[in-house]
Amino acid sequence: MGQFEYKNGVLHAEGVSVSQLAEEMSTPLYIYSHEALVSHFRAFDEAFSGVPHLICFAMKSNSNLAILRLFSELGGGLDIVSGGELFRGVEAGVPAERVVFAGVGKSDDEIAYALEQGVLMFNVESEDELRNIDRVAGRVGKPASIAVRVNPDVDPKTHPYISTGLKKSKFGIDIARAREQYRTAAELPNIRAIGLHCHIGSQITETGPFAEAAGKVADCVRVLREDSHDIRYVNVGGGLGITYHDEAPPTPAEYAGAILPQFKDLGCTLVFEPGRVISGNAGIMVTRVLYGKENEEKRFVIIDAGMNDLIRPALYQAYQGVLPVEEAVQSRPRRKVDLVGPVCESGDYLAQDRELPELQRNDLLAIMSSGAYGFTMASNYNSRPRPPEILVHGSEYHVIRERESYGDLIRGESIPAFITGESG
Ligand code: LLP
């Protein structure tokens, strides 16, 4: 995390003091490093510089307009999973011809919107969906380019909630049935099958599963070509893991080394959908200590950020690193604590049984590796306004999303007259 380091005893994001940002913006808040985002994107891009490729950033990991535009300026596109994500991409100025549309449950309106915008292709997850896209494309009067998402039955060896390439998963179509799906696609008048898609899971920390899936996908492309389907794009999805704690995931170059040999004779454009590996370690969430409390069993440190602000620990028992913003705090005696939020749920914690230096009211903490699936999974649960997002660039910073207000919490709500008793 070279962009988040102590300088003069205070944690900095690039050249900006995290403690000063917390004073100015209040807490909790998200802080991203421009340099980290750019360098992570470039490392991935350069790993595949020898082959035609398109990096479609998985915007479910971080969908702030500024960040989407940044990757677009670097030549990237987007992996989207909803009409709302497409809208964000369009608003950010990302060219639609660099957008791929995934997800098991695309509605007719979303399909029509994507066709009107001219997305590069749909990743199709079922035969029902394939036939429906054909129907909507006929109505809209624009053919739909598609890739069938095949499920290669590979164990990604990651958390079950984020494994997607096993047979028991709701995602994709059994790879053994790919030929018949493409035969069906070829018969549909408004469908152009130009690609093949596969994604096996997220936070994958070894190359083996990627190489195994790539081999199966490449074999499948060869078979489809023998059947005269013009497959020009192979989309291998995302999923490359990052270091949250002590994981040692492959670098993008090692990942490229594991999969490129499988594709070298195919002459396809490779499409990637990385999310976490680009945004995860480019962001932190900053929170302030409110109170401490102890019972016979446990010591709790209560902070002003909760599961509504960052849900990964509560939802997946995920580990997020915790660093005091003032370096001097590190030298206090260490205690095992639960770091818990203000939300009224027992599952509302950011760290459990964690050895941390003794914390006092008003201490600031950085929750590390929060740039992916942090803000995008934040909610208003307990009517808590969502935190602001700040993008740091050298010694400057920009508020790329303001803190929500109480007014934002009730936007769109109204009380009907049959409750208030008012007439007219
Ligand atoms: N492509 C597809 C089809 C996906 O389903 C996903 C993630 C990605 C790409 C991006 O995966 P990445 O490169 O970020 O691993 N909320 C969870 C992660 C859910 C991942 C869902 N799909 C978490 O916080 O760990």
Side-chain angles (χ1 to χ4, degrees):
M1 298 272 296
Q3 289 80 14
F4 297 97
E5 279 177 348
Y6 290 114
K7 292 179 187 160
N8 305 320
V10 179
L11 189 68
H12 277 62
E14 300 190 23
V16 177
S17 150
V18 169
S19 126
Q20 195 185 321
L21 272 180
E23 280 310 321
E24 280 170 32
M25 302 298 306
S26 186
T27 50
L29 81 160
Y30 277 91
I31 304 175
Y32 308 118
S33 155
H34 176 270
E35 187 183 309
L37 291 164
V38 170
S39 71
H40 298 166
F41 183 93
R42 288 215 171 115
F44 204 95
D45 201 21
E46 277 157 21
F48 295 98
S49 58
V51 294
H53 69 278
L54 176 64
I55 301 178
C56 292
F57 174 62
M59 64 177 283
K60 61 176 82 65
S61 73
N62 191 316
S63 60
N64 186 285
L65 296 189
I67 288 173
L68 304 184
R69 178 58 174 262
L70 168 63
F71 295 140
S72 172
E73 295 288 329
L74 297 174
L78 297 176
D79 154 32
I80 64 164
V81 291
S82 71
E85 286 197 343
L86 178 54
F87 176 73
R88 282 182 169 277
V90 171
E91 288 292 302
V94 182
E97 65 271 15
R98 290 194 223 145
V99 173
V100 293
F101 190 176
V104 292
K106 304 173 191 79
S107 72
D108 290 9
D109 285 350
E110 288 176 320
I111 294 165
Y113 179 34
L115 287 167
E116 279 152 13
Q117 291 297 324
V119 299
L120 176 60
M121 67 185 114
F122 294 85
N123 297 335
V124 176
E125 301 252 7
S126 65
E127 187 172 330
D128 264 8
E129 183 197 337
L130 184 64
R131 292 183 185 280
N132 192 44
I133 293 176
D134 176 61
R135 195 182 58 77
V136 177
R139 197 187 74 208
V140 172
K142 286 192 175 174
S145 294
I146 65 108
V148 172
R149 176 172 181 176
V150 293
N151 185 336
D153 197 23
V154 168
D155 184 354
K157 307 196 175 87
T158 182
H159 193 289
Y161 285 11
I162 48 180
S163 299
T164 50
L166 285 169
K167 272 204 172 130
K168 62 183 180 192
S169 149
K170 73 171 175 180
F171 296 102
I173 292 171
D174 187 351
I175 196 163
R177 292 183 50 217
R179 290 180 80 177
E180 77 185 71
Q181 294 301 324
Y182 280 85
R183 211 174 304 132
T184 305
E187 285 162 6
L188 296 172
N190 307 300
I191 295 288
R192 311 275 179 271
I194 60 167
L196 187 73
H197 176 239
C198 171
H199 169 85
I200 55 172
S202 199
Q203 183 54 13
I204 298 169
T205 53
E206 39 192 299
T207 53
F210 288 120
E212 189 185 343
K216 290 188 176 183
V217 164
D219 288 345
C220 187
V221 171
R222 285 185 200 100
V223 170
L224 294 173
R225 284 190 170 162
E226 277 165 26
D227 290 351
S228 348
H229 301 292
D230 184 17
I231 308 295
R232 283 165 278 149
Y233 294 90
V234 173
N235 181 342
V236 295
L240 188 54
I242 60 169
T243 304
Y244 283 99
H245 188 199
D246 49 11
E247 307 90 333
T251 61
E254 287 161 351
Y255 167 67
I259 64 168
L260 279 179
Q262 325 282 340
F263 297 122
K264 66 175 185 303
D265 58 328
L266 290 181
C268 285
T269 296
L270 292 181
V271 179
F272 300 94
E273 301 173 342
R276 189 186 325 259
V277 68
I278 292 178
S279 57
N281 274 330
I284 61 175
M285 186 184 68
V286 182
T287 175
R288 207 178 268 285
V289 174
L290 293 174
Y291 309 110
K293 93 182 210 178
E294 212 162 348
N295 62 25
E296 293 105 76
E297 298 241 331
K298 279 202 179 250
R299 184 171 162 79
F300 297 96
V301 173
I302 300 156
I303 53 178
D304 67 0
M307 64 191 285
N308 73 295
D309 302 301
L310 178 61
I311 202 174
R312 301 191 69 259
L315 194 56
Y316 315 112
Q317 298 80 48
Y319 179 101
Q320 305 269 161
V322 177
L323 271 189
V325 170
E326 299 292 334
E327 194 174 16
V329 172
Q330 299 266 39
S331 55
R332 295 186 196 154
R334 299 178 88 79
R335 312 264 315 246
K336 195 180 261 190
V337 297
D338 278 13
L339 204 58
V340 302
V343 170
C344 296
E345 298 254 357
S346 302
D348 178 29
Y349 66 87
L350 287 182
Q352 239 175 357
D353 294 324
R354 187 80 59 90
E355 292 270 354
L356 290 176
E358 253 172 27
L359 293 168
Q360 296 161 4
R361 182 167 167 80
N362 283 329
D363 282 341
L364 287 168
L365 296 174
I367 311 297
M368 309 308 285
S369 315
S370 300
Y373 307 106
F375 187 88
T376 51
M377 294 181 81
S379 78
N380 292 127
Y381 187 42
N382 278 203
S383 284
R384 291 170 49 80
R386 284 178 297 173
E389 295 176 284
I390 316 291
L391 183 59
V392 169
H393 182 219
S395 54
E396 310 167 31
Y397 68 89
H398 187 90
V399 180
I400 57 174
R401 193 179 208 275
E402 290 174 5
R403 184 183 302 284
E404 286 179 337
S405 65
Y406 286 156
D408 292 331
L409 293 177
I410 57 167
R411 194 155 67 89
E413 294 183 30
S414 60
I415 308 173
F418 57 74
I419 291 178
T420 60
E422 287 162 16
S423 56

